[in-house]
Amino acid sequence: MGILTPCQRPRSSLRSPSSPSSPTNRPPRRPVHSPDPGRARAHRAHAALFRIAERHAATDEQRRRQVHPAFVSPHEAVRLVSFLLSGAALLQDGEPEVDRADVTAALSLVPMVRGEMDELEAGLLQMARGRGMTWQEISFGLGLGTPQAARQRYERLVDRTATDPGAG
């Protein structure tokens, strides 16, 4: 009996090319797929922070323009309490420990901070569209899957942040 080609062999004797007893002994091919979306988003966020810091917060003077020297904004207050609680910031000599009342105060500011962030995002989206960015580009920047999702997000933000009930 001669040598059988793969097409002539009985099915039970066929082996996949990636099986250990395969004559080529090659590792199995990995399917081509997109990277983990969470990891890709984290990478873009890091790159975005680095870019903005390098271009717009490289000097003390540039960094000071972001913080009002006379008072603490709600966002800064929430971050400060969070940083002190986590140990990312250290108490200075004579500064009282963060207590439950401080945590409650910070928590009470979260809705205000969220509202400020919604207004900031809606304004940024309006300016992006005004500069000719497509919904596809915006959806990529926001880490959303589709241009439609970006547009719907914008519409929800405009509805939430409208001060005039007839606006939006």
Side-chain angles (χ1 to χ4, degrees), residues 22-85:
S22 169
T24 59
N25 219 7
R26 283 185 242 151
R29 288 187 177 190
R30 292 184 178 185
V32 177
H33 57 79
S34 61
D36 173 38
R39 179 181 241 166
R41 177 77 178 142
H43 178 73
R44 284 196 314 270
H46 175 74
L49 283 172
F50 182 80
R51 175 187 169 78
I52 292 168
E54 184 178 60
R55 293 170 43 87
H56 304 290
T59 67
D60 287 340
E61 186 176 340
Q62 287 175 328
R63 286 187 295 276
R64 272 194 295 270
R65 69 183 172 188
Q66 302 303 316
V67 180
H68 193 286
F71 66 92
V72 176
S73 73
H75 180 259
E76 291 169 320
V78 171
R79 284 179 52 109
L80 180 58
V81 169
S82 178
F83 284 1
L84 288 169
L85 282 172

Side-chain angles (χ1 to χ4, degrees), residues 28-150:
R29 288 187 177 190
R30 292 184 178 185
V32 177
H33 57 79
S34 61
D36 173 38
R39 179 181 241 166
R41 177 77 178 142
H43 178 73
R44 284 196 314 270
H46 175 74
L49 283 172
F50 182 80
R51 175 187 169 78
I52 292 168
E54 184 178 60
R55 293 170 43 87
H56 304 290
T59 67
D60 287 340
E61 186 176 340
Q62 287 175 328
R63 286 187 295 276
R64 272 194 295 270
R65 69 183 172 188
Q66 302 303 316
V67 180
H68 193 286
F71 66 92
V72 176
S73 73
H75 180 259
E76 291 169 320
V78 171
R79 284 179 52 109
L80 180 58
V81 169
S82 178
F83 284 1
L84 288 169
L85 282 172
S86 70
L90 301 175
L91 294 171
Q92 294 183 351
D93 290 338
E95 185 177 0
E97 292 283 331
V98 174
D99 61 13
R100 288 177 179 225
D102 292 331
V103 176
T104 301
L107 289 170
S108 69
L109 293 171
V110 169
M112 183 184 296
V113 172
R114 186 175 294 118
E116 289 176 358
M117 292 306 297
D118 286 351
E119 289 174 0
L120 184 64
E121 184 178 356
L124 186 58
L125 291 171
Q126 288 171 343
M127 291 182 277
R129 290 293 293 160
R131 293 276 179 115
M133 287 183 71
T134 65
W135 287 113
Q136 179 67 40
E137 292 170 310
I138 291 169
S139 71
F140 176 79
L142 292 173
L144 300 174
T146 65
Q148 180 183 6

